[in-house]
Amino acid sequence: REPAPRGGGVMARKHREIGKAGWGYTAMTSVIGFIYFFPVLWIILTAFKTRTDALAVPPKLFFTPTLDNFTSVFYRASITTGSSQATDMGLYFFNSIFIAGTSVGLALIVGTLAAYAFSRFPLRGNDTYLFIILTTRMMPPIVVIIPIFLMFRLSGLAGTYWGIILLYTAFNIPFSVWLIKSFFDELNPEIEDAARMDGSTESRVFFGFCIPQILAGLSATFVFGLILTWNEFLFALLLTGVETRTVPVAMARTLGGEVGVDYGLLAAIVTLFLIPIFFVTFLLQNQLLRGVTFGTVKK
């Protein structure tokens, strides 16, 4: 039997080296990912612990899980009667989903139209206008909280759904315009001009050609805007009422109490609060990955 050619041996050795490097990168990435995910994992584990296990020193990694904390989120035992009473946490979860979803959806609609106009019909001083729009998102919310609070009091929007929805929409529009405009800029305008020459209207070009091409960008913008709105606390604390309160505000109210902080109950609320974001991100993961990497690879 003749020995294998030297070239084949070199190629085989290179493939083995690449394979070993790939396993090394995979192991390193897994370790780094676990380090970043460990705080979230610890919160999830704490949600299944009793009060004693949650406060144990040193912390317990192995324990008997319980669902009492999740039950207490929606039904809490009365101190006087001992019977279970429904809490308002279900309403607060609905408020967070309704307010965040509606405000991000409105910001996406307005931002998409504005981004298309800035990309395809630029005005004189277009960059200045875009910078002015972006500066409204640069300001810390605490800087404008007093005038916004007074405006809400005078207009009667304080404590209403549409008041906080319009406010979140206004803060999400600059982010949406800047992000979506970058996706429109990556499209080939010559194809749009060819469609117009064939008799297509401007609305048909927009909805029939442009929007399908940037679905990944719209998904990425929706996810990022949803995360920012979902976690917002300051405006929700000062501008919502009892009936329009969101989950972050409700979580802050659980920090007090006569017997101290119930970390198991708080962890259960946080765990439930993470589920919608995980679900939306998982549902749009393919579009989100394409949206984040859109325009980075030139064909």
Side-chain angles (χ1 to χ4, degrees):
R1 183 179 180 181
E2 297 182 358
R6 183 178 179 183
V10 173
M11 293 301 296
R13 187 166 59 252
K14 288 184 177 180
H15 281 294
R16 287 195 298 269
E17 292 176 356
I18 293 174
K20 292 179 180 179
W23 281 107
Y25 291 142
T26 302
M28 182 177 63
T29 304
S30 300
V31 171
I32 295 175
F34 178 77
I35 293 174
Y36 276 97
F37 183 72
F38 183 76
V40 179
L41 178 62
W42 189 258
I43 292 175
I44 297 174
L45 292 176
T46 305
F48 292 93
K49 293 181 178 180
T50 62
R51 188 180 183 89
T52 303
D53 291 337
L55 298 175
V57 179
K60 287 186 177 181
L61 291 176
F62 302 98
F63 55 90
T64 302
T66 178
L67 296 177
D68 292 343
N69 293 321
F70 293 96
T71 304
S72 300
V73 172
F74 301 100
Y75 295 95
R76 196 167 302 172
S78 175
I79 300 177
T80 57
T81 62
S83 59
S84 297
Q85 296 179 351
T87 65
D88 294 328
M89 194 58 67
L91 174 63
Y92 302 151
F93 272 98
F94 168 79
N95 291 341
S96 292
I97 295 173
F98 175 70
I99 291 173
T102 305
S103 60
V104 175
L106 291 175
L108 202 63
I109 294 174
V110 177
T112 302
L113 296 175
Y116 181 75
F118 275 114
S119 178
R120 292 297 182 266
F121 309 103
L123 303 173
R124 180 178 298 179
N126 200 51
D127 294 338
T128 303
Y129 296 142
L130 287 172
F131 178 76
I132 293 174
I133 292 175
L134 185 62
T135 53
T136 61
R137 195 64 181 86
M138 292 179 179
M139 291 186 301
I142 197 172
V143 175
V144 296
I145 189 61
I146 294 178
I148 289 178
F149 180 77
L150 295 177
M151 289 171 56
F152 269 55
R153 287 283 299 274
L154 295 175
S155 61
L157 292 175
T160 63
Y161 283 111
W162 284 110
I164 194 68
I165 287 174
L166 292 176
L167 180 64
Y168 285 161
T169 302
F171 273 88
N172 281 325
I173 285 177
F175 172 77
S176 301
V177 171
W178 267 84
L179 192 58
I180 298 175
K181 179 182 178 297
S182 64
F183 292 101
F184 279 124
D185 291 341
E186 293 292 333
L187 301 182
N188 189 356
E190 296 180 358
I191 301 178
E192 302 171 30
D193 294 336
R196 294 186 184 96
M197 293 180 62
D198 289 339
S200 297
T201 61
E202 195 63 44
S203 60
R204 186 174 180 181
V205 171
F206 177 72
F207 290 105
F209 172 75
C210 295
I211 294 299
Q213 296 293 320
I214 65 164
L215 286 179
L218 296 178
S219 300
T221 306
F222 179 82
V223 171
F224 291 141
L226 183 65
I227 293 174
L228 294 174
T229 307
W230 188 256
N231 298 323
E232 203 283 322
F233 174 75
L234 180 61
F235 289 131
L237 176 65
L238 298 178
L239 301 177
T240 58
V242 178
E243 298 296 326
T244 58
R245 186 175 295 156
T246 57
V247 177
V249 180
M251 282 193 292
R253 293 173 62 88
T254 62
L255 295 177
E258 299 178 356
V259 294
V261 179
D262 191 344
Y263 290 102
L265 176 62
L266 187 61
I269 298 174
V270 173
T271 301
L272 295 175
F273 189 63
L274 292 174
I275 291 177
I277 294 296
F278 281 159
F279 177 77
V280 173
T281 305
F282 178 79
L283 190 65
L284 300 176
Q285 60 178 334
N286 293 332
Q287 297 291 336
L288 182 61
L289 180 61
R290 289 178 55 199
V292 172
T293 59
F294 189 84
T296 59
V297 179
K298 299 297 182 180
K299 295 182 179 180

